[in-house]
Amino acid sequence: MKKIKFFIFISLISIGFCVINTYEDSYSIVNDLRTEFESISMPEIDIQALLNEDDENLGEPVPLRYAYSFQVNYGINNAGTWETLEDGSMLWRLGFHSDGAYGMKIFFNDFWLPDGSELYIYSKNENMSIGPYNHEQNHDDGKFGIPLVKSDHIVVEYYQPATVLDNPQINIDQVFHAYRDIHNFYNDGEGSRTYCSDNVACDDGTFQDQIESVIFLEMGGYVCSASLVNNTSQDLKPYVLTAWHCVEPETPGEHNYFTFYFNHEASTCNGSSGYYGRSETGSYLRASANLNNSDFALLEMDDDPPSWWGVYFAGWSRYTSTPTISAGIHHPGGGPKEINYDNDQAYSCSWYSGQDHWCLNWDYGGTAGGSSGSPLFNSNKLIVGQLSGGTGGDCGGTDLYGKISSSWNGSNASSRLDDWLDPLNTNQYTLDGTYDGVPVVEGCTD
């Protein structure tokens, strides 16, 4: 890996990505600090080989890959440039360049910030900044992850006022190069879509509640779909349902740094650009079962999504009887939210064995890579499963959704939904969704 030096002076537009912070320009930008600091160039990668590998996985139960991960070991003890400023404060900066990347992000395998200090990550020349991160982001596991930043050249900047005496812990072990423009950063306008489902902007309002529950889920260099789900205590605990194959190899109880994007939607029927301004990073895996079963994973986000985002905690049904399907809502290819429609009964099927999936052929629409983990709604607009995969492609073929009814029971709390979605032990078979803890009964107008 090549190390270079460069000067930086740009005006950044701050973009927020985590609800527990405000977002501002870094110390060096605000103070027009043009001093030199170290930047590290990543090795060249074979993009076509990566795309060929991705093509081979089409239709398989694997999440859609969009980024290549470099394994590195850089931090405040062995890289970057420290400066002592006139007022006694300290500044550390380190750049990462990966030629041709649509976006970049990093993962900290050692992360602890003293109270009063700040950390930013920003692009060298693409007008995007995230931060400040501070001591509130310190976690027991001593790790930290960030969302994708638009640039092939990013800067990590740590600022410590003179009044702060404790030493930070900052080390980076992964640098991600986005070789797919998964966030559509470089589209000058909303162009033609590539999938056969409708953008949710085209829905007549029939599924507006359910649309507000669906999440674009980013895990390291991969993406899937997911949904926020209600539980019988109606306490708005941020449980998120997705597929096990999206979160593998995480195990229940482990903390992760997945990013949850809400309201990632196009504003028009044919738009291909979405919105990324509402996201949170971090969750625990509470329960899961693999593809030999119903291929489900239940995550609990670190932080509650704010009520002003208008998110919906979808209801569910765990009946074993064959459901009539109404819709599926998802993020094909990581793009803006789309919706499929159906008016037929699903039928029992299996990925490997066990009849733990619902199978169907859509009347209108279809799925694609990135749709995995998305919710399947019955005619009462309740979730009955999450997508494992299939031959549904962009239009036509069969899709398989892991059954809520099969995911409900397991040998212990880490292998079933029961303990988490029915904490009051009500033994309910259905639960309506909610925005604010008050059930939304579908079909009621008052």
Side-chain angles (χ1 to χ4, degrees):
M1 296 183 185
K2 183 180 178 182
K3 297 186 178 182
I4 61 175
K5 302 281 188 178
F6 65 84
F7 296 87
I8 182 167
F9 172 57
I10 55 176
S11 175
L12 296 180
I13 300 172
S14 298
I15 298 178
F17 281 89
C18 185
V19 299
I20 52 181
N21 294 302
T22 57
Y23 288 81
E24 307 165 0
D25 290 337
S26 71
Y27 181 92
S28 65
I29 300 301
V30 170
N31 292 277
D32 189 14
L33 188 63
R34 307 190 191 192
T35 52
E36 186 177 338
F37 60 91
E38 179 183 15
S39 185
I40 297 170
S41 291
M42 298 292 104
E44 184 178 353
I45 59 177
D46 188 341
I47 303 299
Q48 189 56 54
L50 295 173
L51 293 172
N52 291 341
E53 290 177 5
D54 296 339
D55 288 342
E56 293 175 359
N57 288 326
L58 291 177
E60 296 298 319
V62 294
L64 176 65
R65 183 174 61 178
Y66 76 94
Y68 178 83
S69 174
F70 296 101
Q71 303 301 305
V72 300
N73 181 30
Y74 295 118
I76 58 174
N77 295 320
N78 65 357
T81 303
W82 278 103
E83 296 179 61
T84 301
L85 307 179
E86 291 183 0
D87 63 357
S89 58
M90 299 287 292
L91 186 71
W92 176 82
R93 286 176 292 176
L94 174 63
F96 290 101
H97 175 235
S98 191
D99 189 46
Y102 290 108
M104 295 180 68
K105 67 178 183 177
I106 55 178
F107 184 78
F108 299 87
N109 65 332
D110 194 10
F111 185 90
W112 185 86
L113 303 182
D115 190 359
S117 64
E118 296 178 343
L119 184 135
Y120 298 81
I121 300 92
Y122 52 87
S123 61
K124 176 176 179 287
N125 52 17
E126 294 291 357
N127 298 332
M128 186 172 183
S129 174
I130 58 175
Y133 294 116
N134 55 42
H135 73 283
E136 293 183 355
Q137 278 70 62
N138 295 338
H139 194 273
D140 290 343
D141 62 12
K143 300 177 181 179
F144 189 61
I146 64 166
L148 194 67
V149 177
K150 177 185 177 182
S151 186
D152 68 352
H153 206 158
I154 62 172
V155 180
V156 185
E157 178 175 316
Y158 171 77
Y159 171 71
Q160 181 166 309
T163 55
V164 176
L165 303 179
D166 293 329
N167 294 321
Q169 297 174 29
I170 300 173
N171 197 77
I172 298 157
D173 73 341
Q174 292 184 74
V175 175
F176 292 89
H177 170 126
Y179 61 89
R180 295 177 184 270
D181 191 7
I182 201 73
H183 285 194
N184 206 24
F185 282 145
Y186 294 93
N187 184 8
D188 294 331
E190 292 193 341
S192 299
R193 292 164 49 253
T194 58
Y195 304 106
C196 67
S197 306
D198 279 342
N199 275 339
V200 294
C202 295
D203 186 69
D204 62 5
T206 301
F207 292 95
Q208 187 57 48
D209 296 337
Q210 290 68 36
I211 287 168
E212 300 297 344
S213 73
V214 177
I215 296 167
F216 174 47
L217 181 61
E218 188 177 298
M219 313 82 55
Y222 298 83
V223 294
C224 274
S225 300
S227 56
L228 201 60
V229 290
N230 197 13
N231 73 85
T232 57
S233 67
Q234 304 277 358
D235 59 1
L236 307 184
K237 187 164 287 189
Y239 288 134
V240 173
L241 180 67
T242 189
W244 167 83
H245 75 261
C246 292
V247 306
E248 184 191 11
E250 303 288 327
T251 58
E254 285 187 338
H255 187 259
N256 58 70
Y257 288 92
F258 301 159
T259 298
F260 303 79
Y261 291 92
F262 292 83
N263 311 123
H264 172 31
E265 303 169 14
S267 59
T268 64
C269 288
N270 295 319
S272 60
S273 294
Y275 178 64
Y276 295 95
R278 296 175 178 174
S279 72
E280 294 186 359
T281 297
S283 68
Y284 286 90
L285 177 59
R286 294 307 185 194
S288 64
N290 62 27
L291 279 157
N292 289 310
N293 298 285
S294 56
D295 186 32
F296 88 92
L298 187 72
L299 302 163
E300 182 180 349
M301 296 167 54
D302 288 352
D303 302 294
D304 298 328
S307 59
W308 58 271
W309 286 4
V311 299
Y312 182 71
F313 295 75
W316 42 262
S317 171
R318 64 182 183 96
Y319 278 113
T320 58
S321 55
T322 303
T324 298
I325 303 305
S326 64
I329 306 171
H330 53 112
H331 288 280
K337 206 176 295 181
E338 298 189 7
I339 185 167
N340 307 337
Y341 298 99
D342 199 65
N343 190 30
D344 302 295
Q345 283 192 329
Y347 58 92
S348 289
C349 60
S350 62
W351 194 273
Y352 292 130
S353 61
Q355 302 295 297
D356 291 318
H357 285 72
W358 295 121
C359 275
L360 73 150
N361 297 77
W362 292 104
D363 289 340
Y364 183 84
T367 58
S371 300
S372 287
S374 61
L376 178 68
F377 294 95
N378 67 9
S379 56
N380 293 321
K381 303 178 185 176
L382 303 177
I383 296 177
V384 294
Q386 72 288 325
L387 181 65
S388 290
T391 59
D394 294 338
C395 289
T398 303
D399 276 337
L400 292 82
Y401 288 79
K403 298 177 179 179
I404 291 284
S405 57
S406 294
S407 306
W408 195 258
N409 298 306
S411 59
N412 52 51
S414 65
S415 63
R416 63 191 180 216
L417 292 175
D418 185 356
D419 304 66
W420 311 98
L421 300 190
D422 187 17
L424 301 183
N425 296 316
T426 64
N427 200 33
Q428 291 176 230
Y429 275 75
T430 64
L431 180 67
D432 292 316
T434 186
Y435 285 99
D436 55 7
V438 177
V440 175
V441 180
E442 297 294 341
C444 290
T445 58
D446 186 354

